[in-house]
């Protein structure tokens, strides 16, 4: 579950050729911008592509109020339902690869590392992920268990990706960014839809039906099942994957909305249950040489959630929202097990003040109960805990001039580990004209220690070199510390949005992150190495706040509507991270991190072409730079999708993924294979 590595400065690889290639591919179409003007009236407009529609998408996660993309002083990217459908992605993490600045790497058949603006690792502890405003960030290991998070992808309305701190609104752990996965309204999913997907790596089936009851209410019910890694190749899992075949998951849920046509209140209720299982090989210490053995085990998980929201609208510029959710999961973690329940009550109120102010304030209370079944490798003391969070926030959007706005806000939050955290933010937006806008921001954010970092003992086994004689396994024993401080960040951001032509749009961001009190393992050379009678050597490591560091980079997104039936989207991300042990100068300590690394350069180019009104061709090229710390080589991939719609209600598609090479590694020695699948989507 946890792997260690020595902190080292990033080593850069030669990527110029790839950057140049990306720039050429991104800028070459510029030569034809003028030729891509409005379509002739006689052209058949069978596309949904529109840059104006994209700029007018209402985003709620960046300010907790609906705002157009062009009105937000933050680095924002929206993955729409059409993006997901045409990308060929079959899971939420795969869909997140489309967002600039987001690092996605497959760790195993069931796990992804998803992060932004930081070293990527299995648990991205400074990234807050939400589904319909419900946090799915686990307090246990500070991150997301992606293997238990899913939904019907066809029911996702959009995924809002906010790069940079969102702590002034969302609180602790929204340090490097916020991802909010927003599903469609029940009123927008009326009727039935059945999808069936089968391929070389996975099989997925979904069923959804929506209807009306009463005068003003809508509902939908849905079910989803998938089998990844065994449906067609039960004996051929992803190469070298300890968490291998037979990953099966089923879930079902319902959503109900009530909104009178002339009323000012609206209510929605949502609930879901799921069950999950996969087979895994777990390394265990053994008394006989080679002192470690692989045990096959079945990992299981189950859980569910309930979410309710009541919105009262007072006027176009004033409303209040009261939200409650309950979330529960019961999950195996190797031979350990955790049960966790979260109760969350949230209130917010928006209203104008005089002519120039738009105020939003809110209160939140969260209660987390957990019960941990210890194993030899992972121990929590106490094994059951109750944690409480309560907070208040206020934000004021001030119109200084017609085209110049200043947004000031702060969140004041109390938690049981580090007590009070104050997280302010200041953002300035200047819309020079319809084609140019600039924004800048300074923010502070904090990350609270996880339950493992606070109360845990985690052991990781390292095998000796097979060629060595007389070597024994080394067990790194990481021990938590209940005196840890919160990790903190001060972030500086600047952005520029530019539309040089009606068919072309650029969105660029530069940032600098200054981290303090980062949590890492510390090994003291004067500390004792325990030898419990052989055959193990136990090396004690202690969690502490000994790291500080920085990250900086640029993120570029470009859109070119080449014709009414062809859209090109590109993105480029440059990220540099430097971490320095704060105690290194003593010469007596070494600092270790959980295995983590980030690609220095990422390029994504997507082409969406409507060949005819019934035939679609989509191509998606990605380049991901080398992970130096993980010793994983750079890779390039190409996905292709061909879809045919014989009727308005039926779509048939074939998708090939990772077509440029048979397999490649993304995070470790585990390699992701080339794959193909067929999909049918029928609405009735």
């Amino acid at each position: 579950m946890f792997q260690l590595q020595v902190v080292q400065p990033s080593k850069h690889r030669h990527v110029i050729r790839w950057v140049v290639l990306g720039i050429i591919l991104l800028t070459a179409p510029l030569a034809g911008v003028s030729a891509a003007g409005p379509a002739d009236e006689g052209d058949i407009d069978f596309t949904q592509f529109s840059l104006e529609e994209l700029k007018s998408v209402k985003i709620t996660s960046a300010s907790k109020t609906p705002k157009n993309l062009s009105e937000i002083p933050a680095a924002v990217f929206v993955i729409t339902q059409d993006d997901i459908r045409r990308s060929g992605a079959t899971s939420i993490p795969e869909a997140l690869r489309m967002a600039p600045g987001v690092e996605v790497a497959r760790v195993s058949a069931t796990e992804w590392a998803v992060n932004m603006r930081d070293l990527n690792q299995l648990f991205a502890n400074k990234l807050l992920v939400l589904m319909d405003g419900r946090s799915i960030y686990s307090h246990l290991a500070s991150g997301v268990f992606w293997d238990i998070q899913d939904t019907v992808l066809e029911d996702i309305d959009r995924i809002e990706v906010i790069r940079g701190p969102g702590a002034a609104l969302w609180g602790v752990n929204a340090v490097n960014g916020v991802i909010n996965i927003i599903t469609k309204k029940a009123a927008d999913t009326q009727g039935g839809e059945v999808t069936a997907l089968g391929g070389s790596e996975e099989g997925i089936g979904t069923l959804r039906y929506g209807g009306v009851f009463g005068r003003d209410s809508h509902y939908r019910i849905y079910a989803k099942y998938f089998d990844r890694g065994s449906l067609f190749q039960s004996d051929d899992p992803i190469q070298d994957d300890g968490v291998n075949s037979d990953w099966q998951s089923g879930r079902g849920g319902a959503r109900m909305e009530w909104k009178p046509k002339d009323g000012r209140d609206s209510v929605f209720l949502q609930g879901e249950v799921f069950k999950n299982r996969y087979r895994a090989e777990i390394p265990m210490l053994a008394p006989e040489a080679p002192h470690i053995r692989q045990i096959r085990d079945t990992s299981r998980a189950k859980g569910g959630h309930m979410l309710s929201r009541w919105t009262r609208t007072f006027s176009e510029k004033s409303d209040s929202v009261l939200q409650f959710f309950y979330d529960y999961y019961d999950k195996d973690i190797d031979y350990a097990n955790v049960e966790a329940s979260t109760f969350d009550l949230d209130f917010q109120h928006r209203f104008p003040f005089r002519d120039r102010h738009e105020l939003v304030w809110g209160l939140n209370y969260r209660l987390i109960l957990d019960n941990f079944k210890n194993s030899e490798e992972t121990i929590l003391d106490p094994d059951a805990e109750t944690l409480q969070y309560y907070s208040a926030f206020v934000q004021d959007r001030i119109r200084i001039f017609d085209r110049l706005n200043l947004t000031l806000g702060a969140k004041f939050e109390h938690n049981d580990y580090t007590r009070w955290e104050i997280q302010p933010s200041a953002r300035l937006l200047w819309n020079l004209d319809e084609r140019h806008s600039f924004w800048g921001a300074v923010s502070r954010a904090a990350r609270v220690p996880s339950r493992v970092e606070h109360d845990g003992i985690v052991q990781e086994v390292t095998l000796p070199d097979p060629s060595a004689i007389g070597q024994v396994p080394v067990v790194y024993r990481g021990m938590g510390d209940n005196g840890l401080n919160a990790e903190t960040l001060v972030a500086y951001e600047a952005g520029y949005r530019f539309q040089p032509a009606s068919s072309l749009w650029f969105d660029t961001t530069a940032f600098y992150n200054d981290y303090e009190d980062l949590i890492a393992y510390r090994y003291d050379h004067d500390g004792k190495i325990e030898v419990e009678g052989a055959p193990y050597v136990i090396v004690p490591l202690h969690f502490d706040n000994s790291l500080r560091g920085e990250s900086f980079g640029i993120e570029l997104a470009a859109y070119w509507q080449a014709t009414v039936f062809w859209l090109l989207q590109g993105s480029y991300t440059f990220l540099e991270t430097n971490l320095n042990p704060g105690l290194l100068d003593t010469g007596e300590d070494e600092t270790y991190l959980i295995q983590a690394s980030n690609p220095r350069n990422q390029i994504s180019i997507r082409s969406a072409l409507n060949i005819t009104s019934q035939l679609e061709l989509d191509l998606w090229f990605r380049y991901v730079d080398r992970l130096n710390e993980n010793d994983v080589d750079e890779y390039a991939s190409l996905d292709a999708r061909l879809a045919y719609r014989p009727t308005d209600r039926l779509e048939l598609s074939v998708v090939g993924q990772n077509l440029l090479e048979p397999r490649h590694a993304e995070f470790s020695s585990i390699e992701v294979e080339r794959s193909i699948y067929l999909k049918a989507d029928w609405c009735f």
Side-chain angles (χ1 to χ4, degrees), residues 26 67 174 243 279 315 376 444 447 499 514 532 542 623-624 627 653:
L26 283 170
K67 296 291 181 187
V243 180
R279 287 204 303 266
S315 68
E376 186 176 346
R444 181 185 186 275
R447 200 275 288 186
Q499 186 171 4
D514 185 7
E532 297 184 340
H542 304 268
Y623 165 76
V624 180
L627 302 182
S653 59

Side-chain angles (χ1 to χ4, degrees), residues 228-249:
R228 291 190 166 119
S230 67
L231 184 63
F232 292 94
Q233 295 184 337
S234 58
D235 298 325
D236 189 16
I238 292 176
Q239 186 174 353
D240 298 329
D241 186 1
V243 180
N244 48 39
S245 63
D246 203 25
W247 181 23
Q248 300 179 53
S249 178

Side-chain angles (χ1 to χ4, degrees), residues 207-259:
L207 172 63
R208 180 251 288 156
Y209 184 79
V212 180
F213 68 97
R215 294 179 53 190
D216 306 304
S217 301
H218 298 83
Y219 72 92
R220 74 163 174 262
I221 55 176
Y222 63 90
K224 179 176 183 177
Y225 170 80
F226 70 71
D227 186 336
R228 291 190 166 119
S230 67
L231 184 63
F232 292 94
Q233 295 184 337
S234 58
D235 298 325
D236 189 16
I238 292 176
Q239 186 174 353
D240 298 329
D241 186 1
V243 180
N244 48 39
S245 63
D246 203 25
W247 181 23
Q248 300 179 53
S249 178
R251 66 186 60 233
R255 174 166 175 154
M256 185 279 289
E257 296 161 359
W258 174 72
K259 186 177 182 181

Side-chain angles (χ1 to χ4, degrees), residues 299-330:
S299 179
R300 303 178 190 276
K302 60 183 179 182
H305 75 268
M306 183 185 70
L307 171 66
S308 63
R309 186 178 300 149
W310 169 33
T311 302
R312 168 160 289 189
T313 302
F314 304 105
S315 68
E316 183 180 351
K317 296 183 178 180
S318 178
D319 55 34
S320 66
V321 179
L322 180 64
Q323 174 180 290
F324 170 79
F325 77 78
Y326 167 70
D327 186 278
Y328 168 80
Y329 65 85
D330 177 343

Side-chain angles (χ1 to χ4, degrees), residues 243-306:
V243 180
N244 48 39
S245 63
D246 203 25
W247 181 23
Q248 300 179 53
S249 178
R251 66 186 60 233
R255 174 166 175 154
M256 185 279 289
E257 296 161 359
W258 174 72
K259 186 177 182 181
K261 290 183 179 178
D262 299 323
R264 59 179 184 175
D265 296 301
S266 63
V267 175
F268 96 77
L269 300 172
Q270 177 176 293
E272 182 184 87
V273 294
F274 72 89
K275 201 167 185 179
N276 199 19
R277 55 159 286 177
Y278 58 85
R279 287 204 303 266
E281 292 186 355
I282 304 172
M284 297 287 293
L285 287 169
E288 302 84 12
H291 308 298
I292 194 166
R293 58 178 176 169
Q294 298 288 336
I295 305 296
R296 292 187 66 85
D297 186 46
T298 299
S299 179
R300 303 178 190 276
K302 60 183 179 182
H305 75 268
M306 183 185 70

Side-chain angles (χ1 to χ4, degrees), residues 417-418 449 453-454 480-486 543-545:
Y417 284 169
T418 64
E453 293 166 336
H454 193 270
D481 186 340
N482 56 22
L484 290 173
N485 298 320
F543 280 116
D544 73 2
N545 296 100

Side-chain angles (χ1 to χ4, degrees), residues 596-608:
S597 185
N598 68 272
R600 195 169 185 233
N601 298 275
Q602 290 191 93
I603 297 172
S604 170
I605 300 173
R606 288 186 288 143
S607 166

Side-chain angles (χ1 to χ4, degrees), residues 329-452:
Y329 65 85
D330 177 343
K331 177 176 169 55
D332 293 341
I333 302 174
D334 293 341
Y335 281 119
N337 175 272
V338 61
E339 287 185 78
S341 297
T342 301
F343 302 83
D344 187 284
L345 183 63
D346 188 272
F347 173 78
Q348 72 174 55
H349 179 210
R350 175 177 68 113
F351 63 98
F353 179 70
R354 298 184 183 277
D355 293 334
R356 295 181 178 274
H357 298 263
E358 181 182 14
L359 284 164
V360 185
W361 68 277
L363 304 170
N364 178 266
Y365 173 75
R366 180 173 298 173
L367 175 67
I368 299 176
L369 309 173
D370 69 33
N371 191 355
F372 197 81
K373 180 182 178 182
N374 292 324
S375 67
E376 186 176 346
E377 286 72 28
T378 307
I379 299 170
L380 293 186
D381 183 17
D383 58 6
E385 185 61 284
T386 300
L387 300 173
Q388 298 184 77
Y389 300 73
Y390 49 88
S391 63
F393 81 91
V394 62
Q395 176 178 277
D396 186 9
R397 186 172 187 265
I398 308 165
R399 182 169 58 84
I400 301 174
F401 302 109
D402 286 344
R403 293 185 177 274
L404 184 64
N405 293 279
L406 174 65
T407 303
L408 301 174
K411 186 143 191 170
F412 308 88
E413 185 166 6
H414 183 276
N415 68 86
D416 290 342
Y417 284 169
T418 64
R419 306 306 174 189
W420 285 101
E421 300 295 340
I422 302 175
Q423 300 168 100
S425 174
R427 297 180 179 273
L428 189 68
L429 174 66
W430 179 31
N431 289 310
L432 182 61
D433 54 37
E434 295 298 326
R435 294 182 179 272
H436 303 265
S437 64
F438 300 87
W439 64 270
V442 180
S443 311
R444 181 185 186 275
R447 200 275 288 186
V448 174
S450 70
R451 181 93 148 83
V452 170

